[in-house]
Amino acid sequence: MEQQGKRRVLSGMRPTGRLHLGNYMGALYNWVRLQDEYDCYFFIADWHALTTDYANPGDVHGKSLNVAYDFLATGLDPAKTVIFKQSDVPQHAALHLLFSMITPVPWLERVPTYKDQQEQLREKDLATYGFLGYPLLQSADILLYKPKYVPVGQDQVAHIELTREVARRFNQLYRSATTPEVAAAKSDKELMKAEISENVLEEVVFPEPDALLTPSPKLPGLDGRKMSKSYGNTIGLTEAPDSIRKKLKTMVTDPARVRRTDPGNPDVCPVGDLHKLFSTPETLAKVYDGCRTAGIGCIECKGWAADSLNAHLGPIRDRSADLETRPGLVEDILQDGARRAESVAAASMREAMVAVGLRRA
Ligand code: TRP
Ligand code: SF4
């Protein structure tokens, strides 16, 4: 179904395999809520996996399927949203190549994640062309669909800024040939004349998108640090209720609350953070009161946190169980998504190629 008249939103996620609660709260939770208001495109950025893990990519396809599965389990709905895998739509690679022709290398060297990540992931040898260019691949991912908004976390804002600069540069260098005047001017050297006509000046191939900053609530892992696969402190999105309960028992608490009789403070406790995200106001009030007066023990408090979290994850677990009984469904949805994405991507790519003079309109 086409989403006529709705503004377009696009975002992507790297194929990390099964998702954890941190991945969910940082992105999908918000994406699911955008589906009704916007014409949404959400994709699995599988080429991006190779920009850092080219030496040991593992089963990237399998990991992409896992992520697609979790997209559906959390409530992304293929009837409302186009869900696809980046490498299934060849125009991402093609537009990246075209953009590489016009992008000054210092623009990419200046992207803050470039030097940071190279230093942090020293063992991976990221002095590659692909790693330098990955924010530009992201620009191509975005601009192919000409979205109004790109929902991302704070860590991606520099990439959206680069995307805007690339769009601006492309639009300055090449005008869209979609207006008859420009198409004619390109072929008979009347470009100068066409350029002064106002309606032509308004034509741009790639409108600049805006970041739609995803509120990223603090979601601590079991050890109190940010939840991350590399810290081994995660809670799985479709993990069994008992397993979640057991894990929460090991979660760190307010370090000032050593004995049961010591009062604590939920605002400095990772379990308190979970309550703030997932508990009802009534439970939250009981936590604040009980913790500060030493009226409850941490074991009891963690039990309530497990209840709240399990209630929240119930519908995700149910959809996941349903997906398990329908083999091949995820693959079919990705295939259909790729077809729908490609019809948009191919039109943009054609327009860009005409604009640069690689083909005729
Ligand atoms: N770079 C993003 C990340 O690491 C993933 C991504 C790739 C993306 N292409 C995108 C996000 C396009 C938004 C739009 O999270
Ligand atoms: Fe944390 Fe709850 Fe213990 Fe307070 S009672 S320190 S909020 S686990």
Side-chain angles (χ1 to χ4, degrees):
M1 194 177 52
E2 290 304 314
Q3 304 265 314
Q4 289 294 335
K6 288 184 177 172
R7 285 173 301 176
R8 186 169 292 161
V9 153
L10 169 132
S11 195
M13 190 184 284
R14 285 182 177 231
T16 50
R18 293 311 299 266
L19 299 181
H20 58 67
L21 203 56
N23 302 129
Y24 171 58
M25 291 310 290
L28 275 170
Y29 176 84
N30 298 290
W31 295 3
V32 168
R33 279 153 190 78
L34 294 168
Q35 292 183 105
D36 291 313
E37 207 182 323
Y38 296 97
D39 175 27
C40 291
Y41 286 69
F42 295 123
F43 72 97
I44 298 144
D46 58 345
W47 279 119
H48 285 256
L50 295 180
T51 62
T52 46
D53 295 324
Y54 61 88
N56 297 296
D59 177 16
V60 186
H61 181 67
K63 285 189 264 186
S64 298
L65 286 178
N66 286 154
V67 170
Y69 183 99
D70 284 338
F71 276 13
L72 299 172
T74 52
L76 286 190
D77 178 355
K80 300 177 185 162
T81 291
V82 181
I83 300 167
F84 65 102
K85 188 174 92 155
Q86 183 189 30
S87 69
D88 284 339
V89 180
Q91 288 80 6
H92 290 248
L95 188 59
H96 178 212
L97 176 62
L98 177 50
F99 282 165
S100 76
M101 306 297 172
I102 69 164
T103 306
V105 172
W107 287 16
L108 297 173
E109 289 170 332
R110 269 202 303 270
V111 172
T113 46
Y114 180 58
K115 293 231 161 63
D116 286 2
Q117 293 255 70
Q118 255 185 352
E119 273 161 30
Q120 273 173 35
L121 305 173
R122 221 173 259 286
E123 73 287 358
K124 291 188 177 166
D125 185 8
L126 298 181
T128 56
Y129 182 47
F131 183 68
L132 176 66
Y134 94 83
L136 192 61
L137 175 58
Q138 182 164 353
S139 302
D141 296 339
I142 295 169
L143 294 174
L144 267 181
Y145 300 89
K146 308 186 185 189
K148 175 87 182 109
Y149 295 118
V150 186
V152 286
Q154 185 63 43
D155 62 320
Q156 297 291 312
V157 169
H159 297 159
I160 308 304
E161 198 42 53
L162 174 77
T163 301
R164 294 168 59 89
E165 282 164 11
V166 170
R168 219 173 296 145
R169 184 164 170 94
F170 187 98
N171 295 334
Q172 272 160 9
L173 288 168
Y174 320 106
R175 302 211 177 282
S176 170
T178 51
T179 62
E181 281 154 290
V182 172
K186 287 227 159 161
S187 51
D188 66 8
K189 292 191 181 141
E190 284 191 349
L191 194 57
M192 291 300 287
K193 216 171 99 193
E195 266 178 353
I196 47 177
S197 130
E198 263 182 38
N199 62 342
V200 173
L201 287 174
E202 279 166 12
E203 271 309 305
V204 298
V205 179
F206 294 116
E208 292 175 37
D210 284 310
L212 189 65
L213 261 194
T214 307
S216 34
K218 190 169 160 210
L219 187 86
L222 296 170
D223 58 359
R225 290 187 289 176
K226 181 182 153 80
M227 190 177 286
S228 161
K229 214 168 165 181
S230 53
Y231 294 152
N233 63 359
T234 60
I235 296 169
L237 200 51
T238 48
E239 203 165 318
D242 283 351
S243 167
I244 290 187
R245 198 168 293 280
K246 226 165 100 192
K247 275 189 177 175
L248 286 192
K249 284 192 181 138
T250 70
M251 192 158 191
V252 300
T253 56
D254 176 358
R257 197 166 184 209
V258 183
R259 279 169 298 250
R260 167 70 175 78
T261 48
D262 296 332
N265 178 2
D267 287 332
V268 298
C269 174
V271 180
D273 290 329
L274 287 186
H275 277 295
K276 281 181 228 167
L277 287 170
F278 301 108
S279 289
T280 60
E282 293 76 38
T283 303
L284 194 59
K286 281 200 302 184
V287 168
Y288 269 99
D289 184 58
C291 180
R292 284 173 172 154
T293 60
I296 57 167
C298 290
I299 301 286
E300 192 176 12
C301 181
K302 288 171 167 180
W304 296 343
D307 293 342
S308 300
L309 191 50
N310 280 327
H312 192 90
L313 296 180
I316 297 178
R317 228 174 259 135
D318 293 347
R319 274 190 296 262
S320 171
D322 183 51
L323 281 170
E324 297 284 5
T325 67
R326 300 159 75 179
L329 181 66
V330 175
E331 285 91 336
D332 290 349
I333 288 171
L334 286 180
Q335 202 179 356
D336 182 58
R339 192 184 49 74
R340 291 156 71 192
E342 185 162 356
S343 75
V344 176
S348 300
M349 192 63 213
R350 226 177 293 125
E351 193 185 344
M353 288 178 77
V354 170
V356 301
L358 282 168
R359 56 178 286 171
R360 296 236 166 90

